[in-house]
């Protein structure tokens, strides 16, 4: 029988069928396991763990007395600073009126999904919370599968076929969420794909929500190019301080709205939503963000140092997968790799592992490795996992601080891994044992990854 809690009675709407964000849930679980004294190699969460830059920390402290509510879209000087930052860093033609700030990019994406269009188009795989946000809003989702052999890039013929199918069934696919560098695969859309996609979106009058929160974490193999460069009038660009600067818990996100008449109308809609739900971003955080977006050369240098550390750590995980013969698209940004274990389907089934959720559980229970199943990201392929480099060997503030100091002292990628990443190396060893076990007679020594990193 279904349990009732009258008079506490849950409403319909989004709550029915809504699950916790898999990212946040596994992070909580790993922290509980650590608190209980268990060893877990935490590859399940994407959080930059490096220290807060001292000038930004100082600005937050100095702004503690800023206690008044602010305008829902952000204090004017911050919107101006962010517009100038985007002009300098991304060569985007942005005015302060186009800039909106919110408590994390999540809330701004949610507001835009609320304000715009009917049906939502999402690539498969895509980040955990886009589809649940559409679900809460009662909006249907059209999924567009992508393929590992195409580096998970969107294929226009597949996209067109899915849109056609939806329209044929009386659907109105109007809002298209894209994300590059991409969570969960770490892949980056090539500039020519971005341009082609922009042309397609314009032709089909799609509104593009472009989640570019990882824009400043690219590994420099493929440049980050925003779709707004080719389709400014139909694109909202999302960013924030959670990835390039390690400030996830500060909950600070940005949206750059389209130029022209549409932008102010959307700003008005977001302002109405914000003023009725969260009023404004925590005022001291906005004043500290002014420093983060000031273009201070020391802070820009810190963003670069963090980018290089993430690159080395993530490339190591990728190279481990390659050495072990685990199919995996090559990451070009963010902290993620997305290996697939389909070729071991039979030996996995013999161990009771029949899908990616079983696989994630099996790795946690047998190898103490926490990952997330690809299905949490609506993957079109089974037996894939998202693994993140961001937490490993940086779980405590002291370890994260020590990693930064070590890298600043000696930025050699090989030595950075060998001398300062005991747990990351252990993870490589454990994956080796896992594959050796699946293949039974292949000794791990044959798989040991080389340490040539970047
Ligand atoms: N984006 C991060 C991840 O995918 C976590 C932050 C979040 O989900 O809010 O792991």
């Amino acid at each position: 029988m279904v349990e009732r809690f009258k008079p506490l009675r849950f409403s319909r709407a989004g709550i029915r069928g809504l699950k916790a964000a898999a990212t946040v849930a596994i992070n909580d679980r790993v922290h509980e396991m650590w608190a209980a004294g268990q060893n877990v190699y935490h590859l399940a969460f994407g959080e930059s763990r490096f220290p807060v830059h001292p000038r930004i920390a100082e600005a937050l402290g100095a702004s503690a007395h800023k206690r008044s509510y602010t305008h829902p879209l952000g204090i004017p000087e911050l919107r101006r600073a962010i517009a100038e930052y985007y002009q300098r860093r991304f060569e985007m033609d942005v005015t302060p009126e186009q800039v909106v700030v919110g408590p994390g990019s999540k809330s701004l994406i949610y507001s835009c999904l609320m304000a715009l269009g009917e049906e939502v188009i999402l690539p498969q795989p895509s980040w955990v919370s886009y589809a649940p946000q559409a679900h809460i809003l009662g909006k249907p989702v059209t999924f567009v599968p992508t393929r590992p052999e195409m580096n998970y890039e969107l294929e226009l013929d597949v996209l067109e076929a899915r849109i056609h199918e939806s329209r044929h069934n009386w659907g109105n696919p109007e809002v298209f969420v894209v994300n590059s560098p991409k969570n969960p695969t770490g892949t980056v859309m090539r500039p020519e794909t971005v341009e082609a996609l922009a042309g397609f979106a314009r032709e089909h009058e799609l509104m593009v929500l472009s989640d570019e929160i990882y824009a400043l974490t690219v590994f420099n193999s493929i440049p980050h190019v925003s779709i707004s460069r080719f389709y400014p009038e139909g694109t909202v660009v999302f960013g924030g301080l959670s990835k390039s600067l390690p400030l996830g818990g500060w909950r600070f996100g940005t949206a750059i709205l389209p130029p022209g008449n549409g932008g102010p109308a959307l700003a008005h809609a977001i302002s109405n939503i914000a003023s009725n739900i969260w009023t404004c971003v925590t005022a001291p955080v906005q004043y500290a963000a002014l420093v983060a977006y000031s273009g201070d050369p020391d802070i820009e240098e810190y963003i670069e140092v963090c980018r290089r550390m993430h690159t080395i750590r993530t490339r190591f995980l990728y190279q481990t997968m390659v050495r072990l013969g685990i199919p995996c698209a090559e990451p070009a940004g963010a902290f993620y790799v997305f290996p697939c274990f389909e070729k071991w389907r039979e030996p996995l089934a013999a161990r009771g592992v029949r899908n990616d959720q079983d696989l994630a559980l099996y790795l946690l229970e047998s190898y103490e490795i926490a990952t997330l199943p690809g299905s949490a990201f609506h993957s079109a392929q089974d037996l894939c996992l998202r693994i993140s480099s961001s937490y490993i060997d940086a779980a405590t503030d002291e370890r994260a601080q020590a990693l930064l100091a070590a890298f600043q002292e000696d930025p050699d990628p090989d030595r950075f891994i060998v001398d300062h990443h005991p747990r990351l190396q252990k993870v490589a060893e454990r994956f080796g044992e896992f594959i050796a076990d699946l293949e039974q007679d292949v000794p791990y020594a044959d798989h040991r990854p080389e340490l040539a990193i970047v």
Side-chain angles (χ1 to χ4, degrees):
M1 211 181 81
V2 181
E3 205 176 345
R4 300 268 174 204
F5 306 95
K6 278 189 172 176
L8 189 159
R9 190 172 65 78
F10 288 100
S11 71
R12 186 207 67 84
I15 296 308
R16 192 168 295 164
L18 185 69
K19 297 202 187 88
T23 46
V24 178
I26 185 76
N27 191 40
D28 287 346
R29 175 146 180 232
V30 170
H31 280 269
E32 273 165 27
M33 290 168 87
W34 281 340
Q38 279 175 265
N39 178 44
V40 185
Y41 299 97
H42 190 5
L43 306 181
F45 196 53
E47 173 183 310
S48 182
R49 294 279 312 140
F50 300 121
V52 181
H53 187 282
R55 285 194 195 150
I56 303 177
E58 207 177 288
L60 184 69
S63 308
H65 62 282
K66 299 280 188 191
R67 67 201 173 288
S68 291
Y69 299 108
T70 76
H71 189 283
L73 299 181
I75 54 174
E77 56 269 47
L78 177 58
R79 295 174 72 193
R80 197 175 326 115
I82 294 169
E84 285 166 9
Y85 190 83
Y86 269 78
Q87 287 161 12
R88 276 195 311 271
R89 275 305 296 241
F90 300 108
E91 293 172 10
M92 276 169 67
D93 206 4
V94 180
T95 64
E97 295 70 38
Q98 282 172 260
V99 179
V100 167
V101 308
S105 55
K106 251 174 171 169
S107 60
L108 292 172
I109 294 170
Y110 181 70
S111 301
C112 286
L113 286 175
M114 186 186 283
L116 297 167
E118 194 175 318
E119 193 164 315
V120 182
I121 306 168
L122 292 180
Q124 276 178 299
S126 54
W127 180 59
V128 286
S129 288
Y130 304 137
Q133 289 195 354
H135 172 81
I136 296 171
L137 293 163
K139 299 198 178 195
V141 173
T142 290
F143 282 109
V144 183
T146 63
R147 297 185 285 160
E149 59 273 28
M150 301 296 292
N151 240 18
Y152 298 101
E153 288 208 345
L154 283 149
E155 295 171 81
L156 295 188
D157 51 341
V158 181
L159 178 58
E160 181 144 40
R162 297 296 288 122
I163 289 177
H164 181 77
E165 206 179 303
S166 164
R167 291 202 172 134
H168 186 72
N169 293 312
W170 312 105
N172 289 312
E174 293 170 327
V175 180
F176 183 21
V177 182
V178 296
N179 169 223
S180 179
K182 189 176 175 70
N183 186 355
T185 59
T187 51
V188 171
M189 251 195 280
R190 285 167 308 139
E192 54 272 33
T193 308
V194 175
E195 188 168 2
L197 204 56
F200 180 95
R202 178 179 286 119
E203 190 191 329
H204 288 79
E205 295 185 342
L206 301 177
M207 189 64 212
V208 176
L209 304 188
S210 184
D211 183 352
E212 301 179 16
I213 189 92
Y214 296 97
L216 294 176
T217 64
V218 282
F219 303 166
N220 284 351
S221 47
I222 303 175
H224 168 73
V225 174
S226 173
I227 191 165
S228 69
R229 177 180 296 183
F230 307 105
Y231 185 39
E233 75 278 16
T235 305
V236 182
V237 176
F238 299 90
L241 295 177
S242 308
K243 310 298 181 186
S244 50
L245 283 167
L247 299 171
W250 283 23
R251 308 312 300 128
F252 184 84
T254 60
I256 310 295
L257 309 184
N261 295 340
L266 181 55
H268 191 71
I270 296 174
S271 183
N272 288 351
I273 294 166
S275 65
N276 281 298
I277 302 182
W278 61 80
T279 307
C280 64
V281 173
T282 313
V285 169
Q286 292 194 56
Y287 285 92
L290 259 179
V291 174
Y293 284 100
S294 66
D296 179 327
D298 209 59
I299 295 173
E300 294 306 301
E301 172 59 22
Y302 186 51
I303 291 174
E304 173 60 13
V305 165
C306 292
R307 186 194 69 76
R308 285 163 60 199
M309 290 191 287
H310 289 307
T311 304
I312 295 167
R313 290 151 54 84
T314 309
R315 296 263 322 150
F316 178 82
L317 272 180
Y318 168 66
Q319 289 186 339
T320 299
M321 299 299 124
V322 172
R323 289 276 153 196
L324 294 172
I326 305 172
C328 183
E330 183 166 357
F335 332 127
Y336 309 114
V337 289
F338 200 66
C340 295
F341 296 80
E342 179 64 41
K343 76 183 203 197
W344 293 285
R345 182 170 282 281
E346 275 177 33
L348 284 169
R351 289 158 178 77
V353 174
R354 294 204 157 67
N355 55 40
D356 57 13
Q357 293 184 31
D358 292 346
L359 179 58
L361 196 63
Y362 185 76
L363 277 172
L364 185 59
E365 286 175 352
S366 307
Y367 292 92
E368 300 177 313
I369 296 176
T371 61
L372 274 177
S375 54
F377 302 85
H378 320 283
S379 172
Q381 292 78 31
D382 192 17
L383 291 179
C384 302
L385 297 174
R386 186 194 79 169
I387 60 182
S388 166
S389 64
S390 67
Y391 239 99
I392 198 84
D393 286 308
T396 64
D397 290 348
E398 295 69 31
R399 286 289 311 135
Q401 183 80 55
L403 271 189
L404 172 65
F407 186 75
Q408 283 172 325
E409 167 104 22
D410 175 8
D412 177 80
D414 288 354
R415 286 194 294 273
F416 186 48
I417 295 291
V418 175
D419 297 345
H420 304 288
H421 287 82
R423 289 176 67 78
L424 188 53
Q425 293 177 79
K426 200 80 189 154
V427 161
E429 214 171 279
R430 294 251 163 137
F431 269 109
E433 286 160 13
F434 173 51
I435 298 301
D437 179 52
L438 294 178
E439 296 190 339
Q440 268 147 23
D441 49 5
V442 184
Y444 170 63
D446 290 352
H447 291 309
R448 193 173 290 270
E450 272 173 20
L451 289 173
I453 315 272
V454 275

